[in-house]
Amino acid sequence: MKIITFGEVMLRLSPPGVERFTQADSLTMHFGGTEANVCVSLAQFGFQAAHVTRFPDHALGKAAAGYLRKYGVDTQYVRYGDGRLGLYFLETGAGSRASQIIYDRVDSAFARIIPSDIDWESILRGADWFHWTGITPALSQGAADCLLAGIQTANRLGVPVSADIVYRSNLWQYGRRPQDIMPALTEGCTLVLGSKGLFSDLYNVVGSTFQEAGRAMMKRFPNIRYVTDTKRVSVTASHNQLSAKLFDGHSVYKSRLHDIRPITDRIGTGDAYVAGLIYGLLTFNDLQRAVEFGAAASALKHTIPGDVNLATIAEVETLASGDTSGKLKR
Amino acid sequence: MKIITFGEVMLRLSPPGVERFTQADSLTMHFGGTEANVCVSLAQFGFQAAHVTRFPDHALGKAAAGYLRKYGVDTQYVRYGDGRLGLYFLETGAGSRASQIIYDRVDSAFARIIPSDIDWESILRGADWFHWTGITPALSQGAADCLLAGIQTANRLGVPVSADIVYRSNLWQYGRRPQDIMPALTEGCTLVLGSKGLFSDLYNVVGSTFQEAGRAMMKRFPNIRYVTDTKRVSVTASHNQLSAKLFDGHSVYKSRLHDIRPITDRIGTGDAYVAGLIYGLLTFNDLQRAVEFGAAASALKHTIPGDVNLATIAEVETLASGDTSGKLKR
Amino acid sequence: MKIITFGEVMLRLSPPGVERFTQADSLTMHFGGTEANVCVSLAQFGFQAAHVTRFPDHALGKAAAGYLRKYGVDTQYVRYGDGRLGLYFLETGAGSRASQIIYDRVDSAFARIIPSDIDWESILRGADWFHWTGITPALSQGAADCLLAGIQTANRLGVPVSADIVYRSNLWQYGRRPQDIMPALTEGCTLVLGSKGLFSDLYNVVGSTFQEAGRAMMKRFPNIRYVTDTKRVSVTASHNQLSAKLFDGHSVYKSRLHDIRPITDRIGTGDAYVAGLIYGLLTFNDLQRAVEFGAAASALKHTIPGDVNLATIAEVETLASGDTSGKLKR
Amino acid sequence: MKIITFGEVMLRLSPPGVERFTQADSLTMHFGGTEANVCVSLAQFGFQAAHVTRFPDHALGKAAAGYLRKYGVDTQYVRYGDGRLGLYFLETGAGSRASQIIYDRVDSAFARIIPSDIDWESILRGADWFHWTGITPALSQGAADCLLAGIQTANRLGVPVSADIVYRSNLWQYGRRPQDIMPALTEGCTLVLGSKGLFSDLYNVVGSTFQEAGRAMMKRFPNIRYVTDTKRVSVTASHNQLSAKLFDGHSVYKSRLHDIRPITDRIGTGDAYVAGLIYGLLTFNDLQRAVEFGAAASALKHTIPGDVNLATIAEVETLASGDTSGKLKR
Amino acid sequence: MKIITFGEVMLRLSPPGVERFTQADSLTMHFGGTEANVCVSLAQFGFQAAHVTRFPDHALGKAAAGYLRKYGVDTQYVRYGDGRLGLYFLETGAGSRASQIIYDRVDSAFARIIPSDIDWESILRGADWFHWTGITPALSQGAADCLLAGIQTANRLGVPVSADIVYRSNLWQYGRRPQDIMPALTEGCTLVLGSKGLFSDLYNVVGSTFQEAGRAMMKRFPNIRYVTDTKRVSVTASHNQLSAKLFDGHSVYKSRLHDIRPITDRIGTGDAYVAGLIYGLLTFNDLQRAVEFGAAASALKHTIPGDVNLATIAEVETLASGDTSGKLKR
Amino acid sequence: MKIITFGEVMLRLSPPGVERFTQADSLTMHFGGTEANVCVSLAQFGFQAAHVTRFPDHALGKAAAGYLRKYGVDTQYVRYGDGRLGLYFLETGAGSRASQIIYDRVDSAFARIIPSDIDWESILRGADWFHWTGITPALSQGAADCLLAGIQTANRLGVPVSADIVYRSNLWQYGRRPQDIMPALTEGCTLVLGSKGLFSDLYNVVGSTFQEAGRAMMKRFPNIRYVTDTKRVSVTASHNQLSAKLFDGHSVYKSRLHDIRPITDRIGTGDAYVAGLIYGLLTFNDLQRAVEFGAAASALKHTIPGDVNLATIAEVETLASGDTSGKLKR
């Protein structure tokens, strides 16, 4: 299977363990971005997965690409140019102390991307899936333009398109509102991850239950075949409960509930769900199994440092089948 | 608000993570002392907070002062001279294995302090609060003398005085008993932190409940307006339950119960309560809110490495209001 | 008390914290092996404990011996020669992600041991206990031969012999089956740790309950005075429940149930039980107390990084008596 | 003595040791900026030293201020507001491999500073020295405006002003040329650090020797009493030779030549010279001694990790007197 | 340019800094192997470079492949199967204390490779260079057979072949002598790296000078167009001098002499020369420039931790041109 | 050979690398003491070596003993009791910045030792050498008394005695002068390490050259057969030159001069000389070879982190023979 993802990749910098920013003497490095996280997961599951992005043309940009390659991502479509590397600083909480992120991604090399940087035709030809999120069109007009071109190309080539329509109000600084931009992008989607609330806010699509809201989305955007979402109960920063559901227009498939503690790293757990679900949809002929696979992948991601999910298929399947024991494997 | 605290600051040395002393190859450095911990907390909450102490006149003494300054403490009243830097070695436990402290503080530069080292008049003029604990008079006659002078100056200047009357039997090596020394010091106090048992042991003040014992303390020491204490249930070294209560002569104000797990660092959690309570008393016109703020500050301290509480006002208020979710802040 | 143990010691290499192998930049070193782990525990409890093994004659072999000596083991009977140092790579899991071991111990210096390397007579004379496990005879004919000679010498000298009859199917590569080798070794044993299932698989000794199976073992192997086993419920990789039982031919002595969380390091927890039990049998005139001591030792080992148990007698007794509070010791 | 400095402070992030950026898993944190580096040095020498700057109003901005305070800098004049924290990434070279810096300081909180942020009158009243560098006016119009106001206030209050007129061509992005801005700033200076080449490039002031160029500068800018510069021979990244000279309009005072190897950290060594020289000018009545003190301070800075010089007066004087032996002090 | 290399990749484990093995608590991980080191260098110089090898089918084998990919190597031809991952333990010396290697590579997954594992035809089609070393045929008959097939395929396809004919007497354990195996492999070579001594030992080819010996090699093996070697003077473990020479049948091209101190990591410096030379031969039409590029690449590798050379083309050219200054690049 | 040494062992705490105390966040642990350092060296050379000392009866005291055992020292004569563990803080310099030690050893468990703690008769029976230094009698009357008893017992049993008569003026706080104590201790010595200056200061023994002073010492103390000393030229903290000489009453044997750079750790290098010399005297029938072995051992110690010399006999002999190349050993 060949997967294409598109979006910004940031350098993540975190104090060791649960130190506060003011205590730190060093910062641990990871790289991540919601779309690239999905790409790494799918590469780890054995898919051929390429990420499309733009990095600054210096050693840190190259280090970012090296990080993706290390975890199996094809970086041949990465472009290098001016601008900075997007950053985010993550302080990891514990118990009732929340984790905190300080974003520092303004005017990144990715935000300066323009449509002529990307030859979508050659990238998407032969692909089996294209994934994007609501972060990308929030960053710059150029990024939004590139994305629209990518979705339209995917549609023309018959490549299924998924979107995590996440909305972050502190992005969207370039003068457009998500309500102006997101609908045209969502038109081309096969699978949408989002909540009732978001459907209403972004598209004015309303439904009293997830199922009804999903049905309304499918009516408004006829390309959509699947609507999905996760539900998280945050007991403390070290203890969450997670489940997922998938609606195919007929039935809602709900995953088991995962009781997750301790939490090593909560970042990228939503992306791990998306990747697990895509893997499941492309591999199993069984929607229940697909949503279980996605939810279990997400649960396992909570145990792995960094943004990307490095759980193996075997590990995900063990948990998806309900075995939470974590018994030592020799 | 201007706060003055007085007491020894030690270098704390701990094996990484939960290693035992015999396994360690390096020791993590923090600095702390019960009174200075209160000072740092109040500085972090935005108060002007100065700590009065005496350090050895060498690089480690200067490093200790630098540590306090870094976290906002005014070190202009620190004196430097002969003697060693007090130390303590902390091994952090987990689950049913207890944490252990090896103290190495005998004959420290602080224990050699004498009244002429401190100009209390100029230090306390304009101050809004003065805080001390039962550790200080236990260390040396000089320290006890300095403290008494400080309390008397505070009383003369109308500065409220608080005391954590903690009693450690393995201190008090200089030939006096706490029963000889503590009463005169307690005379000048506005707020006392201690348990029924301590009131009885130190002052022969008896009461069958916390409220009655508090009332008896107020009778014996008419300056006292508040008596307070915390209650801790130690389920394991990684899981504690904590609450606090405050008695003002009329009512007992009880905080909510905090279920704390995992515990990152239990040291200084009592000091965090005291600081939170002082902050509350000086800021809110609401004793219930003050005791909730103190208890929440203490609970959050358990998640922070080191002796000092680096939780922000916003974080404390979130938890004080009952939100334990630790949800990621972006 | 003088204790002799015999078996391979490996270098253990683990990624920091809960990192996956592919994320690691460095590997933390420990040394361990099931029999040597027992030896270290007993040395830590104050017994004179010597481990018999064979290391490669290079700096890593010497480092392994130094590690044992550091923790109190007498290494005078260690032999040095050709062959490699056995290794194992351990990835530590968390929550529902299991820990994983990659063994790399083929053709080690220990596997090349031959009977003439060991003068059992002088080693075992005056000893109070000899311990072995089912790992050793699985490694090579030479190791099995050495072991048999050791057990026979111990029997001749009247030294009690214990065995953890653990069976690992991926060992036993040198052409013999455990069913061929284990019975003769078990003949000489005073105490056997194993489950009903193992008794049946290895010796075709069957019993419907632990007690019956134990009785059948004692019938088949008349030297056996004690049969013991532990029971573990693996809730997650971070949360286990553990108890132990000991059968002396008359009664079954059951330890309390230990609820263990968080788990720092699960490796060597079975060995900690064995060492605690041996300590108890040789020290207390009370089988219930012995099995409680063993179980509490095992529970505490879960909180200590590395393969070996570094809990003190006082710590074990505190937990054995039911105090799980882990209260800070000053 | 009371010293005021003004300029941006950046978070510096470096791979451990001499690792390349692409190899790093973590980045060591320091904070620094050419003017703040001077401020820290003078604080370490016992002067009262305050740094004026503007930080983002988040945890990293506060950490930066804490870093300055730890090393003795008065941060009461620091302002907090919008914008990011300036960063630079430093890869440390060795031998013939050069160190490399990737700057990431565009649009920092400091660059957004405006004159109304700073009350120069109250800051500079009573000060004994004011120091600035050519980095500040290169960052933004606001920074240049603030600086000019500061210099003019200093002049009005009779506070001596020093400038390191360093020119970095990749700064100066806001539409002005240094030739437009620097002359008015240099007008108010008592001491200028720069080379013949810079005098010519920035002010069109020409002289065939350092002495002649210095004399020409003094003619063009009559407030200047001292012109100074350092000379560095870079044998390799690990081995430099350094000397300094100071011209007072009459004589050139040359320091001894320092042969520096190995080099631990070359960053901030010029700033260490400036601080040492200012210290010398304000302390000694001896220009030769002042320039020797400055040069020795700079040489010692090469042995200290981070941007700031933490050498003590005693250490500087030992080296300034020609003792290079580095003999162990017990 | 497309480059193919073939050989074993080992996990390298080293104590931190210059600690001895017996002192270490952790081991730093790198991966390397003489041929893969060449491959990484050429990938870093921008060539398309693929390494052919065989790894164990477990997480460490995958980590090894990830390491190569991170640094730009194409790993599509890597095979996975049974056997262990080759290891070596490196203790880094300093001054007059030598570095030491303990190899632990017996019976690795690579040593178990067999010709049917590799489809040389498809791998080498379109390649511009093929590189091997004398380590590979020393490991097993299977490795030697694979290599011979690769060289013959390269010859048939017209792909130039280079060999570093390094001889290690402690390898060659599988029953063949290098004198039996190396000549047939050397037949197909275009470029050979080796010394007079080696030519004599391996091929009985004799010459009194490097030039004469080279000429004799070209006579014996008519495919050879270039003979090359490096010369190292080891002053101490921290200070070496290095130069290289290249003979093309007509002239000897000698590089400048590099005085290298300090030395960060001496491993892989010969491989860095080979890679630099291959880059030079394929890029410059100038043998002198090629040998200078190779020697400078090797010199720079001494400053880089790990086995692989991460110097950039620009860095190599700076040093190749004689600039040793290591001046900070901003 | 069986060696006995006697003296205090301290915990050494150092900032990582060349950080200053004020920069450190953690401190690296080593244990050392001049006499124990000699003991470890001789244990590493294969001698049976036991150290006699007294540690506090807590986990740090046990860790100190474990450290000695790890490196081969027999700790059966160690006593445990009250008092603290002696400490010293070491900041490592570089280039012209000196290393610095802050001692914190007052009132240690060792200083509280008394003669009845040690059964010299059983310890020294069968020993081949006893070593002490001038540090021990400086610490307390009890330590001096114990030492005298040890020397007298050694003399009675015919065990050769060596002394490094090092004088530290900041010790000797218990009311006696070295001139009062040292002569009686020196009476019993076979070998003395010291300088002309020390001979004069401590014993009023004068000689114009080392040889003459040595002869005078032998006259004053007829048991002395050897007088020895080292000579160090401290070029910088990173570059020293070292040689040694030995006088046997007839000739002066001078070692070659060792040019040592870089210096990893200068502490314990004198002790390494003493140990090497003792090894040489007991092993070789050749005084020149003995002094060369001692000097080379000392030179190699400079490359090894910590107080103790971990160089092997083979390494020392290589350097003693003049091979400084540090060539990689595979």
Side-chain angles (χ1 to χ4, degrees), chain B residues 148-324:
Chain B
L148 185 60
I151 294 167
Q152 289 170 343
T153 310
N155 288 174
R156 194 168 61 247
L157 296 173
V159 179
V161 176
S162 58
D164 172 353
I165 59 164
V166 53
Y167 167 63
R168 296 254 174 78
S169 59
N170 50 353
L171 299 174
W172 294 99
Q173 301 292 323
Y174 67 94
R176 305 298 298 277
R177 296 185 319 138
Q179 290 78 1
D180 303 331
I181 299 279
M182 289 293 288
L185 299 169
T186 308
E187 290 279 348
C189 286
T190 317
L191 181 154
V192 167
L193 174 94
S195 64
K196 277 189 313 173
L198 263 186
F199 298 159
S200 166
D201 291 352
L202 295 179
Y203 314 108
N204 204 20
V205 167
V206 183
S208 63
T209 63
F210 176 72
Q211 188 162 353
E212 285 182 24
R215 211 180 302 275
M217 282 292 286
M218 289 172 177
K219 194 164 169 200
R220 163 79 185 278
F221 302 109
N223 276 333
I224 296 180
R225 290 186 47 206
Y226 304 109
V227 175
T228 189
D229 203 10
T230 56
K231 182 174 174 194
R232 178 187 301 274
V233 176
S234 192
V235 185
T236 70
S238 306
H239 180 199
N240 281 193
Q241 289 169 327
L242 191 104
S243 59
K245 56 196 165 194
L246 174 71
F247 178 60
D248 68 349
H250 305 284
S251 312
V252 173
Y253 301 85
K254 292 189 181 171
S255 80
R256 66 182 72 237
L257 179 80
H258 293 276
D259 190 67
I260 306 168
R261 63 174 147 177
I263 293 176
T264 295
D265 196 315
R266 184 213 168 301
I267 310 299
T269 52
D271 307 325
Y273 170 68
V274 171
L277 179 64
I278 293 172
Y279 177 83
L281 292 173
L282 289 173
T283 307
F284 311 136
N285 199 10
D286 179 340
L287 295 182
Q288 181 63 35
R289 199 174 157 198
V291 75
E292 291 286 14
F293 192 90
S298 180
L300 280 169
K301 168 61 193 70
H302 289 79
T303 71
I304 295 171
D307 284 33
V308 301
N309 188 18
L310 303 174
T312 63
I313 293 173
E315 288 171 330
V316 178
E317 291 197 322
T318 297
L319 183 57
S321 75
D323 176 352
T324 66

Side-chain angles (χ1 to χ4, degrees), chain D residues 21-317:
Chain D
F21 282 126
T22 48
Q23 299 181 292
D25 244 19
S26 69
L27 297 170
T28 303
M29 296 170 80
H30 289 276
F31 291 90
T34 171
E35 305 86 0
N37 298 346
V38 171
C39 199
V40 168
S41 267
L42 289 165
Q44 293 284 313
F45 293 150
F47 283 10
Q48 199 182 334
H51 186 65
V52 182
T53 191
R54 187 171 181 277
F55 283 133
D57 192 16
H58 58 47
L60 291 171
K62 281 163 193 166
Y67 189 91
L68 295 179
R69 269 198 309 276
K70 175 179 170 184
Y71 293 117
V73 169
D74 179 348
T75 60
Q76 67 173 299
Y77 307 124
V78 172
R79 292 292 161 265
Y80 296 89
D82 61 337
R84 44 191 300 271
L85 183 64
L87 304 171
Y88 78 95
F89 297 89
L90 169 68
E91 183 188 88
T92 302
S96 291
R97 176 161 64 88
S99 294
Q100 294 193 29
I101 291 180
I102 298 174
Y103 283 105
D104 182 15
R105 67 198 294 183
V106 170
D107 199 24
S108 67
F110 181 79
R112 296 185 182 188
I113 203 167
I114 54 174
S116 62
D117 284 334
I118 314 179
D119 177 2
W120 283 116
E121 191 74 27
S122 71
I123 293 170
L124 287 166
R125 185 165 307 281
D128 297 285
W129 200 275
F130 177 59
H131 177 69
W132 64 277
T133 79
I135 299 297
T136 300
L139 295 177
S140 68
Q141 187 65 53
D145 292 347
C146 287
L147 177 58
L148 185 60
I151 294 167
Q152 289 171 344
T153 309
N155 287 174
R156 194 169 61 245
L157 297 171
V159 179
V161 176
S162 59
D164 172 353
I165 60 166
V166 54
Y167 168 63
R168 297 255 175 76
S169 58
N170 50 354
L171 299 175
W172 295 99
Q173 301 291 325
Y174 67 94
R176 306 297 299 274
R177 295 186 319 140
Q179 290 79 359
D180 303 332
I181 299 278
M182 289 294 287
L185 300 168
T186 308
E187 288 278 347
C189 286
T190 316
L191 182 155
V192 167
L193 174 94
S195 65
K196 276 188 314 173
L198 264 186
F199 298 159
S200 165
D201 291 353
L202 294 179
Y203 314 108
N204 205 21
V205 167
V206 184
S208 64
T209 64
F210 176 71
Q211 187 164 355
E212 284 183 24
R215 210 180 302 277
M217 283 292 285
M218 289 171 176
K219 194 165 168 199
R220 164 78 184 280
F221 302 109
N223 276 332
I224 297 180
R225 290 186 48 205
Y226 304 107
V227 175
T228 189
D229 203 9
T230 56
K231 183 176 174 192
R232 179 187 300 274
V233 176
S234 190
V235 185
T236 71
S238 306
H239 181 198
N240 281 193
Q241 290 169 327
L242 190 104
S243 60
K245 58 195 164 193
L246 175 70
F247 177 61
D248 68 349
H250 305 284
S251 310
V252 173
Y253 300 86
K254 291 188 181 173
S255 79
R256 68 181 71 240
L257 179 79
H258 294 276
D259 191 65
I260 304 167
R261 64 174 147 176
I263 294 176
T264 295
D265 197 314
R266 186 212 166 303
I267 308 300
T269 53
D271 307 324
Y273 170 68
V274 170
L277 180 64
I278 293 170
Y279 177 84
L281 292 173
L282 289 174
T283 307
F284 311 137
N285 199 9
D286 179 338
L287 296 183
Q288 181 63 35
R289 199 173 157 199
V291 74
E292 289 288 13
F293 192 91
S298 179
L300 281 169
K301 168 61 194 69
H302 289 79
T303 72
I304 295 171
D307 283 33
V308 301
N309 189 17
L310 303 174
T312 64
I313 293 173
E315 288 171 330
V316 177
E317 291 196 323

Side-chain angles (χ1 to χ4, degrees), chain A residues 182-214:
Chain A
M182 289 293 287
L185 298 169
T186 308
E187 290 277 347
C189 287
T190 317
L191 181 155
V192 166
L193 174 94
S195 64
K196 276 188 313 174
L198 264 186
F199 298 159
S200 165
D201 290 353
L202 295 179
Y203 314 107
N204 205 19
V205 166
V206 184
S208 63
T209 64
F210 176 71
Q211 186 163 356
E212 283 184 25

Side-chain angles (χ1 to χ4, degrees), chain A residues 217-271:
Chain A
M217 282 293 284
M218 288 172 177
K219 192 164 171 201
R220 166 78 185 279
F221 302 110
N223 276 330
I224 297 181
R225 291 187 46 204
Y226 304 108
V227 175
T228 188
D229 203 9
T230 57
K231 182 175 175 192
R232 177 186 302 273
V233 176
S234 192
V235 185
T236 71
S238 306
H239 180 197
N240 282 194
Q241 290 169 325
L242 190 103
S243 60
K245 57 195 164 194
L246 174 70
F247 177 60
D248 68 349
H250 306 284
S251 312
V252 173
Y253 301 85
K254 292 188 181 173
S255 79
R256 66 182 72 237
L257 179 80
H258 294 275
D259 191 67
I260 305 168
R261 65 173 146 178
I263 294 176
T264 295
D265 196 314
R266 185 213 166 303
I267 310 300
T269 53
D271 307 325

Side-chain angles (χ1 to χ4, degrees), chain F residues 267-281:
Chain F
I267 309 300
T269 54
D271 307 326
Y273 170 67
V274 171
L277 180 63
I278 293 172
Y279 177 83
L281 292 173

